[in-house]
Amino acid sequence: MHIRLQQRNGRKSLTTIQGLSKKFDHEKILKYLKKEFCCNGCVVEDVNLGIIIQIQGDQRQNSLDFFIKEKISEKKTVKVHGI
């Protein structure tokens, strides 16, 4: 699983989460992340990259902590880019 920060314009940025297993409900995870981090987001399905969760703002560390706390993935299987 990869967690990246994608710069938009000015101070705006997106956090993208890619490579999450298909056995999880991406919409349910997104709903929890949006409520927990007080931000907006969406699920994008790409032909080449698969299902990607996009969250507004720099939520890399918060999302990493969430995936480890909820036992969705282990720390050694998650790559956080840019930290």
Side-chain angles (χ1 to χ4, degrees):
M1 183 166 62
H2 296 276
I3 302 175
R4 293 184 176 89
L5 183 71
Q6 183 178 354
Q7 195 67 31
R8 288 180 46 219
N9 50 357
R11 293 177 48 200
K12 308 287 183 183
S13 60
L14 282 175
T15 302
T16 59
I17 302 163
Q18 174 187 344
L20 195 59
S21 177
K22 291 187 190 274
K23 70 178 182 179
F24 296 111
D25 186 3
H26 293 81
E27 293 290 337
K28 200 174 261 190
I29 290 174
L30 175 65
K31 185 175 182 179
Y32 180 83
L33 292 175
K34 285 167 52 173
K35 193 149 186 93
E36 186 70 21
F37 306 149
C38 299
C39 63
N40 203 356
C42 64
V43 175
V44 178
E45 193 160 346
D46 188 77
V47 177
N48 298 329
L49 302 175
I51 300 173
I52 300 171
I53 298 176
Q54 292 181 337
I55 309 169
Q56 287 182 349
D58 186 1
Q59 306 292 348
R60 290 175 291 187
Q61 192 61 48
N62 293 337
S63 55
L64 173 66
D65 295 341
F66 164 74
F67 288 122
I68 293 171
K69 182 183 82 174
E70 296 296 325
K71 295 181 175 60
I72 293 174
S73 64
E74 298 175 10
K75 187 169 176 83
K76 62 183 178 184
T77 61
V78 178
K79 173 67 176 155
V80 179
H81 299 271
I83 290 183

